[in-house]
Amino acid sequence: KTAYEISTRDWSSDVCSSDLTRDITLLVANNSRKPEVERRVVEGLLARRVAGLIITPHGADYAFLDAVETPVVFLDRHPEGLATGCVRVDDRGEAKRLVRHLAGFGHRRIAFVADGLEVKTSALRHAGYREAMTELGLPVDPDLEAIGFVYADEAERATLEMLDRPEPPTAILDRKSTRVNSSHEWIS
């Protein structure tokens, strides 16, 4: 299979952007949170002889990249099976900082929306959220935690249900940026 054949069948999103003045083409692929798809996507891109890869790993074993000369940078999570560096943020610390920031504006009922906690970054952000709520003396209300949503429509439904409660959240910390970008449409 070529990378294109994989992309049209297996990737939930495929973006190709070119800057012909600089001879640069950017390919963006989604691994669908499936390790077997994740590896096929990477192998497909390598088969196209890309100049480099930037990968946000989800669960595939990346030991096969040990023999590859193509430059690879991992973002957000350390890859399984490969001793290499990773560019990441302090997910736990940043979630704590965000809760403190919201509390500084008077918010006391702060909700947390995330995909499954098996995703390490979600688990770390959830831990930071709970730690900050506890440290600030704010209630950790399970009714204000919507966890396990991969797709925006599921998170939207859960968010709207929270907002319809007699005591809705006054702020929402959502771990997924793509949902945050569209959440203002749900609420307005």
Side-chain angles (χ1 to χ4, degrees):
K1 291 181 202 174
T2 66
Y4 180 74
E5 290 169 338
I6 293 171
S7 73
T8 58
R9 197 168 48 89
D10 295 332
W11 298 350
S12 64
S13 67
D14 180 25
V15 177
C16 181
S17 173
S18 295
D19 181 344
L20 298 178
T21 63
R22 291 163 56 191
D23 197 27
I24 296 172
T25 300
L26 172 67
L27 299 171
V28 179
N30 184 331
N31 61 31
S32 302
R33 296 176 175 232
K34 298 175 184 167
E36 67 280 1
V37 172
E38 189 171 346
R39 181 171 176 155
R40 281 200 324 258
V41 167
V42 171
E43 288 173 336
L45 290 169
L46 289 170
R48 290 184 82 165
R49 300 172 46 111
V50 295
L53 293 169
I54 300 171
I55 301 173
T56 303
H58 181 70
D61 182 345
Y62 279 94
F64 73 98
L65 287 179
D66 211 16
V68 172
E69 292 186 23
T70 303
V72 178
V73 174
F74 289 93
L75 299 177
D76 211 25
R77 294 177 278 278
H78 288 280
E80 297 293 326
L82 188 64
T84 187
C86 175
V87 177
R88 39 180 298 231
V89 299
D90 177 7
D91 292 292
R92 175 186 249 133
E94 288 303 307
K96 289 174 78 168
R97 188 183 66 77
L98 286 168
V99 169
R100 288 186 189 116
H101 179 76
L102 293 169
F105 283 102
H107 293 285
R108 297 292 174 258
R109 293 185 50 76
I110 303 170
F112 182 81
V113 180
D115 36 9
L117 298 183
E118 71 280 356
V119 177
K120 188 172 185 174
T121 50
S122 291
L124 289 168
R125 291 171 188 170
H126 182 247
Y129 159 80
R130 284 187 152 217
E131 287 171 15
M133 294 292 283
T134 301
E135 289 169 6
L136 293 168
L138 300 176
V140 177
D141 183 350
D143 287 339
L144 294 180
E145 293 182 354
I147 298 171
F149 304 105
V150 175
Y151 301 105
D153 61 331
E154 299 169 331
E156 175 184 359
R157 203 168 22 259
T159 301
L160 292 173
E161 286 173 12
M162 279 194 286
L163 292 170
D164 282 340
R165 293 191 179 130
E167 291 186 66
T170 59
I172 300 171
L173 174 58
D174 191 320
R175 100 102 188 131
K176 194 166 182 106
S177 60
T178 54
R179 285 193 303 251
V180 171
N181 292 337
S182 61
S183 63
H184 69 279
E185 296 170 10
W186 311 336
I187 296 169
S188 53

